[in-house]
Amino acid sequence: MTILEQTLAAIRPADPDALAEARAHQDRLTKPRGALGVLEEVAVRLAGAAAVNPPPLPAPAALAIFAADHGVHAQGVSPWPQEVTVQMVGNFLAGGAVANAFAAQVGASVTVVDVGVAAELAPAPGLTHGKVAHGTADMSLGPAMTVEQAVTALETGITVARDLVAQGARCLVTGDMGIANTTASAALICAFTGRDPAEVTGRGTGVDDETLARKVEVVRRALRVNGLDGSTSLSALETLAAVGGLEHAAIAGFLLGGAALRVPVILDGVIAGSAALAAAGLASDVVDHCVAGHRSAEPGHAVALAHLGLRPLVELELRLGEGTGGLLAHPLVCAAVRVMHEVATFDSAGVTDKEA
């Protein structure tokens, strides 16, 4: 079996017994039932994913930033030059990005993965070389990747997840870097949800009205050229190859790898959300192992999360990527699980419960 086949075969849905035990445990804790709101569901979710109650503490966390370039950049969908991708990789490695600051705040490690940067990167501490190609092809003219490239990128993400867990990570956080990657994200979201490009395509790094209109049309053309406008039926893998980015494929593999190991993955923004749609298309049970860290300002992100059935923990109008929203959510996920380990029950504390 290939790495991808092995991983898909290992993914299991949330354990129903652990879910039931976690819900019952929540109801016995010294607080009004439901008083912790969404955090209670997060704890229950992680118990189901781990198949044990209480679930393991999701710490330490490891952030993986998957970096790649996009051929569709040539269509003028971003005001930023493509070389910013490689420059930001250097910034991550030097510790100078927002993601680095947030990772330091929560005690997360940072790994940068070159899965498709359109430049040769020298070896450096913290950099994993997994380059599949020097960026994707222009998806508005044809498939962004071959199916073989998509599989290789998926397996790169799986391997990174495996390695980080082997090194002691007990929670994975998705990160991304790639100029023009919100365009590919919009195309993926349209392809997997059936929504119109005008509904899900956002301003990304802050494009003007003219560029946004061009971006919407480029997404529409990419869907049409690749047969994703309803004219044909493509598999999830073929869809990912047609309009995804190399970092989208690697993130999808990262999610699959975490799920196979029953280690929770906190999703960042719209890039991760669109990659999660692809991962769910390959193995629907992967969603049981994911937590939505936040909801970004990109309109497609809300659509993706709704389709996945995930509720974001943080909403701060973020639109940076890099893993920043996922990192901000990590302390909330830890707090939700810590309650299950450390808060007394009514019986153990000798506290009178309310009448049934």
Side-chain angles (χ1 to χ4, degrees):
M1 296 175 71
T2 66
I3 292 174
L4 179 58
E5 290 170 339
Q6 291 171 355
T7 303
L8 294 175
I11 295 173
R12 297 289 182 270
D15 183 83
D17 292 335
L19 289 172
E21 290 174 14
R23 292 193 180 100
H25 185 71
Q26 281 282 357
D27 288 345
R28 294 194 302 272
L29 298 178
T30 49
K31 60 177 179 58
R33 290 172 177 81
L36 293 180
V38 176
L39 293 183
E40 295 190 13
E41 281 305 308
V42 171
V44 170
R45 184 177 192 84
L46 265 63
V52 63
N53 177 65
L57 287 171
L63 168 67
I65 302 175
F66 295 92
D69 281 303
H70 296 261
V72 74
H73 181 271
Q75 299 300 322
V77 295
S78 173
W80 295 85
Q82 192 170 69
E83 56 263 30
V84 169
T85 300
V86 69
Q87 291 167 355
M88 280 302 300
V89 167
N91 195 24
F92 294 135
L93 295 174
V98 176
N100 298 104
F102 285 2
Q105 176 67 28
V106 303
S109 65
V110 179
T111 299
V112 182
V113 185
D114 172 14
V115 70
V117 177
E120 290 300 329
L121 303 181
L127 177 64
T128 296
H129 288 274
K131 193 189 299 289
V132 177
H134 286 73
T136 55
D138 186 344
M139 69 176 183
S140 70
L141 304 178
M145 298 175 272
T146 65
V147 169
E148 291 74 19
Q149 287 176 325
V151 169
T152 301
L154 281 161
E155 293 187 340
T156 296
I158 292 169
T159 300
V160 171
R162 288 180 176 180
D163 289 346
L164 291 174
V165 172
Q167 293 164 19
R170 292 300 173 261
C171 182
L172 303 176
V173 183
T174 69
D176 66 88
M177 182 63 222
I179 298 301
N181 62 9
T182 60
T183 304
S185 296
L188 284 172
I189 293 167
C190 289
F192 282 107
T193 70
R195 301 291 280 271
D196 187 82
E199 295 180 78
V200 306
T201 307
R203 295 182 183 273
T205 51
V207 302
D208 58 22
D209 291 345
E210 180 182 351
T211 306
L212 177 60
R214 183 185 310 120
K215 190 174 177 181
V216 170
E217 181 50 39
V218 167
V219 172
R220 198 180 304 280
R221 185 163 70 246
L223 295 171
R224 183 174 63 251
V225 165
N226 288 289
L228 293 168
D229 56 355
S231 58
T232 59
S233 178
L234 273 67
S235 68
L237 180 58
E238 290 169 332
T239 300
L240 175 61
V243 295
L246 288 159
E247 76 271 48
H248 292 89
I251 291 171
F254 191 62
L255 304 184
L256 295 170
L261 295 170
R262 289 195 176 273
V263 172
V265 185
I266 302 179
L267 305 180
D268 190 39
V270 69
I271 314 303
S274 59
L277 290 171
L282 293 167
S284 59
D285 292 330
V286 71
V287 181
D288 290 349
H289 303 268
C290 296
V291 175
H294 80 119
R295 181 166 60 196
S296 80
E298 286 288 293
H301 194 207
V303 172
L305 293 181
H307 193 83
L308 292 164
L310 295 174
R311 181 171 178 172
L313 294 181
V314 177
E315 187 166 1
L316 296 173
E317 299 180 9
L318 304 177
R319 53 182 178 87
L320 178 57
E322 303 180 2
T324 50
L327 290 168
L328 287 174
H330 180 249
L332 297 176
V333 178
C334 288
V337 174
R338 191 170 290 279
V339 165
M340 301 286 277
H341 284 267
E342 299 181 8
V343 174
T345 63
F346 284 103
D347 289 340
S348 68
V351 175
T352 303
D353 195 356
K354 72 172 184 177
E355 295 181 4

